[in-house]
Amino acid sequence: MVTESLTITDNRTGKSYEIPIHYGTYPDYGAAINALELRQIKASEEDFGLLTYDSGFTNTASCRSSITFLDGEKGILRYRGYPIEQLAEKSSYLETAYLLLYGELPDSAQLLEWVHDITYHTIIHENIKKFMDGFHHDAHPMGMLIGTVGAMSTFYPDAKNIHDVDSRQKQVRRLIAKMPSLAAFAYRHSRGLPYAYPDNELSYTGNFLNMLWKTTEVSYEPDPILERALDVLFILHADHEQNCSASAMRCVGSSHPDPYSATAAAAAALYGPLHGGANEAVLRMLEQIGSVERVPEFLEAVKSGGGNRLMGFGHRVYKNYDPRAKIIKELADEVFSVTGVNPLLDIALELERIALEDDYFVSRKLYPNVDFYSGLIYQAMGFPVGMFPVLFAIPRTVGWLAQWQELLLDPDQKITRPRQVYCGSDERDYVSMDNRQ
Ligand code: ACO
């Protein structure tokens, strides 16, 4: 006997159906019906049954997940129940990565072992270096990253054993450890600089800065403020539930390839300007606006349509201030105290000030998202804009892997294969060339 249910009456037939309602952790957030229940609703015997139409998955849950919770109306983001604000203040990226993957914060022995494992997997095979050498001198670093992560699948054939727990854990460690190395090598290739090898004495982000910026010094010493700022940025970017790239990871992962192939697909999804490529697009937009005086004119152009968007504003889920954007805005001051203020900051502040008072943006609930200020920080730290999506992909790798792992362990999960509502021609006979109009 179903106690909580939905009664649907099909007005074509007059028949009624009772469909159970399922709940997650919060009864008022995420109540759902099983879409397959609708298939029993048929207008006739031959009818295939009712489908749901939801392009862009705006109201469809594709999985049950225990990793990340976000409430876009209230501006809440939690990893495994822990508020993002507390993690950004008190945790480290690698500790947060452990939490996302294994569900609990590590004790000190677990953390020590985890950090050691990641640190000792940072070196990449010399042939991967040769592979990277093959890219054009002006190849986009994100394109290089996507290609090289995919290529790693051929270096680790054992990664195909996705149902073997030990093998899975090994690939997880390899991917988290090697992403910064690949990213730094991509950067140095694009600059024509010799590659710098990892330094196991440094932290995860300290070592990344070392591989990027080391020149002739015996050992590189990262600036502690920038090292910590990057660590916080990595925490903020570590996961964001079923976004476009996580869904790509799950979609590709559902056909059971190795995780390097699935991660390459997720990174490709992240590359687009509507997703992780937005931080790069924000910087290009700020440079194009050029001065505070030109902000009103730019916003008018956005409002009049024609394809222009205020990049770094708006979010599919957040209809309130993105909590990550708040933390990043505060972080910017700390970074600028070391690097000097990014001259584009004034344009960004003016854009935000006007947009938050303008009915066009207010009525559509468009607020700054994570990408609005992160690019300004990255640029002040010395990163070229092409590296911005790469800086997103490094920390998001753990989110993708946590989602992938959850997918593999969930007996409900099947190969992703959506339905369609066919709107094309009915059956017709082939027309020979001389009879075509
Ligand atoms: N600038 C101007 N108008 C916007 C913007 C924007 N940034 N975002 C949405 N709108 C408008 C749309 O034109 C639409 O207006 P309409 O109702 O008059 O047609 C309305 O707001 C709703 O927009 P949708 O595109 O339907 O919203 P959706 O949820 O599909 O899109 C998205 C979300 C893609 C993030 C969108 O807000 C956008 O393009 N933002 C700019 C790119 C960006 O910053 N992306 C990063 C997202 S965060 C991340 O991925 C890490």
Side-chain angles (χ1 to χ4, degrees), residues 273-275 278 302 309-316 319 360-361 364 366 369-371 392:
L274 296 189
H275 188 14
V302 167
R309 287 206 161 188
L310 175 51
M311 300 311 287
F313 256 66
H315 198 275
R316 169 59 60 78
K319 301 301 171 196
Y360 175 93
F361 297 94
R364 289 171 177 77
L366 301 171
N369 59 48
V370 69
D371 291 318
F392 196 154

Side-chain angles (χ1 to χ4, degrees), residues 56 58 237 240 243-245 270 272-279 281-282 285 298-299 302-303 305 307-319 322 324 360-361 363-372 392 396:
T58 51
H237 286 88
H240 212 234
N243 54 77
C244 180
S245 56
L270 188 75
L274 296 189
H275 188 14
N279 51 16
V282 169
M285 173 189 78
F298 176 80
L299 287 177
V302 167
K303 283 157 49 180
N308 267 344
R309 287 206 161 188
L310 175 51
M311 300 311 287
F313 256 66
H315 198 275
R316 169 59 60 78
V317 182
Y318 291 120
K319 301 301 171 196
D322 180 340
R324 301 167 301 173
Y360 175 93
F361 297 94
S363 63
R364 289 171 177 77
K365 299 189 176 176
L366 301 171
Y367 292 90
N369 59 48
V370 69
D371 291 318
F372 193 65
F392 196 154
R396 183 53 63 85

Side-chain angles (χ1 to χ4, degrees), residues 243-263:
N243 54 77
C244 180
S245 56
S247 301
M249 184 81 186
R250 280 181 177 265
C251 176
V252 174
S254 76
S255 75
H256 293 177
D258 64 83
Y260 301 98
S261 304
T263 301

Side-chain angles (χ1 to χ4, degrees), residues 375-419:
L376 288 172
I377 299 184
Y378 293 145
Q379 194 180 51
M381 286 171 95
F383 291 105
V385 280
M387 278 297 283
F388 294 2
V390 172
L391 290 161
F392 196 154
I394 297 170
R396 183 53 63 85
T397 299
V398 74
W400 295 330
L401 290 168
Q403 300 286 343
W404 172 73
Q405 208 170 241
E406 193 176 65
L407 162 101
L408 292 179
L409 297 175
D410 180 352
D412 264 8
Q413 288 293 316
K414 297 182 169 52
I415 185 167
T416 305
R417 207 302 184 189
R419 293 276 171 188

